[in-house]
Amino acid sequence: MQTSPAHAAHHNDREIETLEEFDATVSARGTLAGYRVQAVDLTDRTRELLAADTAGAVFLGCPMRENAAAKIRTDGALVFPPVPDLPFDPYRGHVYTPDELFAALDKGYEETPDALAYAWFQRTKADGDIHASMLRAIHDDSVSDAVDELLRGARVVGVMGGHAMARGTEEYQGAARLGRALTRAGFTVATGGGPGAMEAANLGAYAAPYRDAMLEEACELLGKAPSFTPSITEWAQFAFEVRARWPKGNTSVGIPTWFYGHEPPNAFASHIAKYFANATREDGLLARSNAGVVFLPGAAGTVQEIFDNATPNYYESRGEPTPMVLVNRAHWTDHLPTWPLLKALARERSMESRIALVDRIEEAPEALERLGA
């Protein structure tokens, strides 16, 4: 899942997303005809742009000098200029990192790019501006493209559970152990990218290379700010303190949304695919969990995700049904009787052999392996 210099080889080889890829293409091919150049600063590449053929090329949000832009438009290239005064880049070529979204956290969460993007969303959502909704759509599409490139070839397991699970609780530790066990078993953990159970699973993935005691110590430190309320700043700072103390964590993915902007993303997912549209995000998270999904106890949101996931498995609209593991028998049979309905739906269909209910978090990785075999 690590993105490497060979990254260029496994995305569309007509896409250029870094200055290194731009230079390599120009020197190897001598032409940019038909290429897609995405969010690369070309201010210092005027000579190359004036010399190269750019017929049929598309430049998405690439800063460049006016004479270079004029020449490539004459060549027949399409130029989508950067949008001024926007707190995010709609044409971005890569998913976010925690450091990027939480930049300027020392000044308070309100000053971070994450909070500024949410504030912009709140402002523009209300006035129904077509330009703003187009920018959101382009951004979300760029993020989808980037997360597809990132996850190519990975065995992705989704971990679903509520945002209300507090740090310092037994449940939180359990969800973190699950993320660790899945990562150690060779899966890539993907969550909704928010607080609570989602953060715990991403933390567990992060902790996978370390000795077991590290996770207990990290949970104890995080317990000093149990929730993102009242202070997101303090909640996030403890997460970065854990990352600074143990800097060599493993990778995992978080897929959050600004639709729930009061909920910050968590800092333990190394790759954050953050969306404006919640529907795109929900569907994308489940569709990319190709090795199955583990559902921890949750409320309405988690129940919705169970059936969002069951539907394509029922109709086989995404091909073979993927494994579904529900954790906590009492929760899913008595408290919210989702399991009996899921079992009734699956009866005599190919998904019947791909669903399981387990009592303890520790049983989930083995159940996934069994159902996926």
Side-chain angles (χ1 to χ4, degrees), residues 321 339 343 346-356 371:
W339 174 251
K343 222 166 69 163
R347 196 166 296 130
E348 292 174 15
R349 297 190 79 89
S350 58
M351 72 181 276
E352 191 168 21
S353 61
R354 298 289 171 91
I355 62 171
L371 299 179

Side-chain angles (χ1 to χ4, degrees), residues 165-180 200 203-204 215-220 361-362:
M165 186 186 280
R167 291 168 169 179
T169 60
E170 191 40 57
E171 292 79 15
Y172 184 96
Q173 280 218 15
R177 285 195 300 273
L178 171 65
R180 184 175 68 185
L203 166 66
L215 188 56
E216 284 162 42
E217 289 170 43
C219 285
E220 196 175 318
I361 273 176
E362 285 66 31

Side-chain angles (χ1 to χ4, degrees), residues 11-79:
H11 67 54
N12 174 350
D13 57 10
R14 292 245 157 230
E15 273 180 31
I16 295 174
E17 295 174 349
T18 63
L19 205 50
E20 294 71 44
E21 287 176 15
F22 179 88
D23 291 340
T25 304
V26 170
S27 70
R29 304 254 162 90
T31 177
L32 291 164
Y35 275 83
R36 308 283 179 260
V37 191
Q38 201 174 340
V40 180
D41 189 340
L42 300 175
T43 319
D44 298 331
R45 293 294 184 275
T46 304
R47 196 163 46 94
E48 290 79 356
L49 290 170
L50 293 177
D53 177 14
T54 56
V58 179
F59 293 83
L60 297 162
C62 300
M64 63 179 76
R65 307 238 180 258
E66 197 38 62
N67 58 335
K71 178 263 178 189
I72 66 181
R73 281 196 189 97
T74 309
D75 276 357
L78 269 178
V79 181

Side-chain angles (χ1 to χ4, degrees), residues 307-366:
F307 292 105
D308 278 348
N309 198 42
T311 305
N313 283 343
Y314 180 89
Y315 291 113
E316 298 193 43
S317 53
R318 291 187 189 133
E320 286 263 305
T322 49
M324 296 177 68
V325 179
L326 278 59
V327 177
N328 190 324
R329 197 171 298 276
H331 185 82
W332 295 122
T333 52
D334 306 334
H335 182 55
L336 292 173
T338 308
W339 174 251
L341 179 52
L342 185 64
K343 222 166 69 163
L345 261 182
R347 196 166 296 130
E348 292 174 15
R349 297 190 79 89
S350 58
M351 72 181 276
E352 191 168 21
S353 61
R354 298 289 171 91
I355 62 171
L357 174 66
V358 299
D359 227 3
R360 295 175 21 260
I361 273 176
E362 285 66 31
E363 302 167 68
E366 187 276 325

Side-chain angles (χ1 to χ4, degrees), residues 68 91-92 101 117 120 143 148 180 230 244 300 352:
Y91 308 112
R92 53 181 305 118
L101 286 175
W120 175 89
V143 167
D148 283 340
R180 184 175 68 185
E352 191 168 21

Side-chain angles (χ1 to χ4, degrees), residues 4 21 75 108 124 133 148-149 183 189 191 195 218 243 265 267 272 274 291 359:
S4 62
E21 287 176 15
D75 276 357
T124 58
S133 60
D148 283 340
E149 287 168 13
T183 303
V189 169
T191 74
R243 288 185 33 181
I272 302 176
K274 191 154 189 178
D359 227 3

Side-chain angles (χ1 to χ4, degrees), residues 49-337:
L49 290 170
L50 293 177
D53 177 14
T54 56
V58 179
F59 293 83
L60 297 162
C62 300
M64 63 179 76
R65 307 238 180 258
E66 197 38 62
N67 58 335
K71 178 263 178 189
I72 66 181
R73 281 196 189 97
T74 309
D75 276 357
L78 269 178
V79 181
F80 292 81
V83 182
D85 305 322
L86 209 57
F88 61 93
D89 178 2
Y91 308 112
R92 53 181 305 118
H94 303 280
V95 297
Y96 293 95
T97 65
D99 293 317
E100 194 180 353
L101 286 175
F102 284 105
L105 181 65
D106 52 339
K107 298 192 185 115
Y109 172 71
E110 298 65 37
E111 298 297 315
T112 64
D114 186 60
L116 295 172
Y118 176 56
W120 175 89
F121 181 33
Q122 288 299 91
R123 271 199 317 280
T124 58
K125 190 175 63 171
D127 58 19
D129 175 20
I130 179 72
H131 183 232
S133 60
M134 183 190 77
L135 292 172
R136 293 197 292 270
I138 292 172
H139 168 275
D140 285 4
D141 207 55
S142 301
V143 167
S144 286
D145 184 54
V147 84
D148 283 340
E149 287 168 13
L150 176 75
L151 293 176
R152 195 155 295 148
R155 294 164 72 215
V156 183
V157 172
V159 178
M160 307 295 161
H163 64 261
M165 186 186 280
R167 291 168 169 179
T169 60
E170 191 40 57
E171 292 79 15
Y172 184 96
Q173 280 218 15
R177 285 195 300 273
L178 171 65
R180 184 175 68 185
L182 291 169
T183 303
R184 286 176 176 174
F187 295 110
T188 295
V189 169
T191 74
M198 299 173 272
E199 179 186 61
N202 288 127
L203 166 66
Y206 187 89
Y210 289 94
R211 59 194 172 84
D212 286 3
M214 171 266 178
L215 188 56
E216 284 162 42
E217 289 170 43
C219 285
E220 196 175 318
L221 186 59
L222 291 169
K224 294 178 182 172
S227 169
F228 62 96
T229 56
S231 166
I232 293 177
T233 306
E234 190 187 24
W235 174 86
Q237 277 167 338
F238 276 112
F240 281 101
E241 199 175 312
V242 167
R243 288 185 33 181
R245 192 177 295 190
W246 294 281
K248 293 186 162 44
N250 206 317
T251 55
S252 68
V253 179
I255 305 187
T257 172
W258 279 294
F259 181 76
Y260 298 126
H262 60 285
E263 267 185 37
N266 79 71
F268 294 111
S270 54
H271 301 88
I272 302 176
K274 191 154 189 178
Y275 287 92
F276 288 106
N278 187 42
T280 313
R281 166 251 190 175
E282 286 278 0
D283 191 58
L285 175 54
L286 293 167
R288 290 183 179 90
S289 299
N290 56 10
V293 182
V294 179
F295 297 92
L296 298 172
T302 312
V303 171
Q304 181 185 345
E305 284 162 346
I306 289 173
F307 292 105
D308 278 348
N309 198 42
T311 305
N313 283 343
Y314 180 89
Y315 291 113
E316 298 193 43
S317 53
R318 291 187 189 133
E320 286 263 305
T322 49
M324 296 177 68
V325 179
L326 278 59
V327 177
N328 190 324
R329 197 171 298 276
H331 185 82
W332 295 122
T333 52
D334 306 334
H335 182 55
L336 292 173

